[in-house]
Amino acid sequence: MKLLYVTSEAYPFCKTGGLADVAGSLPPALAAEGVETAVILPLYDKIGPQWREKMTFRRYIYVDLGWRHEYCGLFSLHDRGVTWYFVDNEKYFRRGRLYGEFDDGERFAFFSKAVVDLLPSLDWMPDILHCNDWQTALVPIYLKDAATRWWEIRHIRTVFTIHNIEYQGKADNSFLSEVLGVSEYWRNIVTFDNCINAMKSAIVLCDKLTTVSPTYSCEILYAYFAHGLEGILRENSYKLSGIVNGINTELYNPASDTKIYKQYSHGDISGKDENKKFLRQQLGLEQKNNTPLFAVVSRLVAHKGVDLIEKVMNDLAQMDIQLVVLGTGDKQYEDTFKYYDYAYHDK
């Protein structure tokens, strides 16, 4: 079986969250099990020279996106038994960050179209395209559309994994003709709630639908969790399953992790106390040996549970604890934690 993993980020090349950890760990694990595996992702300017100097330029093509005719370069490198492909276009990916641009919809429509258009340029034709979240949710529609004219790709099946259903890739209805460039035949597939919805189209068109845990696969069938897509998910529940994200025990091993102050293991946990003291020192916190220290490293958004912390911040502020929060996100939560930091940092 030949698998092409399609992702908008992958560790150690570029990372904003857990998707990068999965994309950086799962393909090598599959390759170790004998699956012919490759990964394709954008060549962001954030990908450092230590990786770029190892890349090989493969070729370039032009990708048509609506009325646009865009350069698209392909680079590759081999690491941990996997071929990593990088899609190059500085107009879209030289931005200083991965996401949060005004034209994110166009940027990742380009990437999704490029994945399909570049298939003949890879070392082999994949049997499966494994797509992840809204940034790659347009791959199935581009694949299906191209397959109406290109018989060599009609055997390819798609897997779509929902890591976070809150972000769905929504756009104005004009996006279909102005950017996607596919025929009106696909409008009903890609439209939901009177707008273009990339994730909805992937849910409908993919051959297999997965989530990051069995619990999440059940939760998103209900309105509270599904952000409007519960009906579409129920209609497609026959192909839905949840698979628990694994943990990379080599990368996240406190006995060998050089990024922590002191290493420790299950046989000797004394290093944990040293790490606690070091963190307090770095943050200017009082060294209170019997006071619990809680550290949260997260995007500050509701689905991460930050809303639950916000609701009890007054109570937490009265307790003999120390709370450290590292992250950015919704202004509401950023402002809340900034206020409590200002009011209680020295208490």
Side-chain angles (χ1 to χ4, degrees):
M1 180 174 66
K2 298 178 176 66
L3 169 69
L4 180 61
Y5 197 91
V6 188
T7 180
S8 59
E9 58 183 86
Y11 182 86
F13 309 106
C14 51
K15 174 182 175 179
T16 67
L19 171 59
D21 288 324
V22 177
S25 300
L26 178 58
L30 292 172
E33 293 293 322
V35 179
E36 293 187 70
T37 309
V39 181
I40 190 165
L41 67 154
L43 182 58
Y44 302 105
D45 55 345
K46 300 286 287 183
I47 298 176
Q50 73 274 27
W51 296 112
R52 288 176 179 266
E53 64 188 20
K54 298 178 182 180
M55 294 180 188
T56 300
F57 173 72
R58 305 294 291 261
R59 67 169 301 189
Y60 72 89
I61 63 173
Y62 283 90
V63 172
D64 293 326
L65 199 69
W67 47 264
R68 301 157 191 81
H69 190 62
E70 299 288 348
Y71 162 84
C72 175
L74 181 67
F75 291 78
S76 69
L77 64 82
H78 195 75
D79 182 65
R80 294 170 291 157
V82 174
T83 300
W84 304 82
Y85 294 106
F86 300 87
V87 175
D88 178 41
N89 179 293
E90 291 193 351
K91 170 184 172 181
Y92 289 128
F93 303 130
R94 190 178 180 86
R95 300 294 184 92
R97 57 181 178 174
L98 275 61
Y99 316 125
E101 302 295 326
F102 74 97
D103 58 346
D104 274 359
E106 181 179 326
R107 295 171 66 219
F108 291 103
F110 167 81
F111 175 61
S112 297
K113 181 74 162 17
V115 168
V116 176
D117 288 357
L118 284 167
L119 289 176
S121 304
L122 309 184
D123 292 331
W124 36 251
M125 189 67 74
D127 300 308
I128 297 174
L129 294 179
H130 188 163
C131 308
N132 297 269
D133 269 354
W134 79 265
Q135 294 92 340
T136 63
L138 292 170
V139 171
I141 196 170
Y142 280 127
L143 183 70
K144 297 285 188 183
D145 186 66
T148 63
R149 304 175 296 277
W150 184 9
W151 69 266
E152 291 92 344
I153 65 171
R154 292 177 186 174
H155 72 285
I156 298 177
R157 298 293 179 259
T158 55
V159 176
F160 182 66
T161 297
I162 300 173
H163 298 258
N164 184 349
I165 201 169
E166 182 175 356
Y167 306 107
Q168 299 173 6
K170 297 179 180 180
D172 185 82
N173 280 311
S174 62
F175 195 78
L176 180 76
S177 58
E178 286 293 310
V179 179
L180 296 188
V182 295
S183 73
E184 285 293 318
Y185 170 83
W186 299 104
R187 183 170 292 279
N188 286 339
I189 296 292
V190 78
T191 300
F192 181 73
D193 198 20
N194 199 34
C195 69
I196 300 300
N197 188 307
M199 184 173 284
K200 182 257 184 173
S201 71
I203 292 170
V204 173
L205 293 176
C206 72
D207 296 289
K208 185 67 177 178
L209 180 63
T210 68
T211 67
V212 294
S213 74
T215 300
Y216 197 46
S217 69
C218 295
E219 288 177 342
I220 59 175
L221 298 178
Y222 297 92
Y224 182 82
F225 298 97
H227 293 273
L229 287 178
E230 62 277 4
I232 300 297
L233 286 160
R234 288 175 190 159
E235 291 174 5
N236 291 274
S237 60
Y238 67 93
K239 57 183 177 183
L240 171 65
S241 61
I243 303 172
V244 176
N245 273 352
I247 297 174
N248 188 326
T249 55
E250 293 183 6
L251 180 62
Y252 297 107
N253 182 353
S256 58
D257 190 349
T258 58
K259 294 183 179 180
I260 59 176
Y261 179 63
K262 291 290 184 180
Q263 287 73 48
Y264 60 92
S265 67
H266 68 280
D268 179 9
I269 62 172
S270 58
K272 293 189 71 173
D273 191 50
E274 292 300 312
N275 288 330
K276 185 177 179 181
K277 291 178 181 177
F278 180 74
L279 179 60
R280 283 174 166 156
Q281 177 185 335
Q282 293 295 302
L283 297 176
L285 298 175
E286 184 180 348
Q287 296 288 354
K288 302 166 71 175
N289 293 335
N290 296 320
T291 296
L293 172 64
F294 298 92
V296 178
V297 182
S298 174
R299 278 184 293 123
L300 305 183
V301 291
H303 71 262
K304 294 292 187 180
V306 178
D307 58 327
L308 302 178
I309 301 176
E310 181 191 45
K311 284 180 170 58
V312 296
M313 277 302 297
N314 281 329
D315 296 328
L316 294 176
Q318 307 306 316
M319 296 180 180
D320 183 24
I321 67 169
Q322 292 172 322
L323 174 65
V324 175
V325 179
L326 175 63
T328 59
D330 292 349
K331 186 176 185 299
Q332 167 191 344
Y333 302 122
E334 288 186 2
D335 289 346
T336 295
F337 290 121
K338 287 176 182 177
Y339 165 76
Y340 280 96
D341 177 58
Y342 173 80
Y344 292 94
H345 186 280
D346 297 324
K347 295 185 179 180

